[in-house]
Amino acid sequence: MSRNEPQSGDTGADATPLFVTGARLIDCTGAEPIRDAVVEIRGKRIFAVGNRQSIRIPQGAQVLDCGGATLMPGMIDCHIHTMM
């Protein structure tokens, strides 16, 4: 996924967006982490990713402030077996 472009396929363009803000984002592409990242989520899809200067958050939008946490979207599969 490009950092500032929607994924192909079902983008959830008609869904009400949620903006996740205030985090450091690691996208696991080898690029430097994005500081003060904004992740726009529509429906079940990540629609856009960038820093606060590159992603416009509409007035009155639903915003979730991560307070400096680190995000790695789509990276962690929590289905594990530790005692095999």
Side-chain angles (χ1 to χ4, degrees):
M1 177 177 87
S2 173
R3 287 181 168 209
N4 291 318
E5 297 175 14
Q7 283 182 303
S8 61
D10 179 21
T11 61
D14 295 334
T16 301
L18 167 66
F19 294 87
V20 180
T21 64
R24 174 180 62 174
L25 184 124
I26 299 172
D27 67 7
C28 300
T29 65
E32 288 293 316
I34 299 174
R35 306 233 182 259
D36 198 19
V38 175
V39 179
E40 181 179 354
I41 301 169
R42 294 187 186 194
K44 296 180 181 180
R45 300 283 185 171
I46 296 172
F47 190 76
V49 174
N51 61 26
R52 205 172 285 265
Q53 290 76 35
S54 66
I55 303 292
R56 187 179 83 70
I57 301 174
Q59 193 168 16
Q62 183 179 4
V63 176
L64 174 63
D65 185 350
C66 287
T70 298
L71 297 177
M72 293 180 12
M75 184 61 193
I76 299 172
D77 178 355
C78 292
H79 181 110
I80 61 171
H81 299 273
T82 58
M83 302 295 291
M84 292 300 279

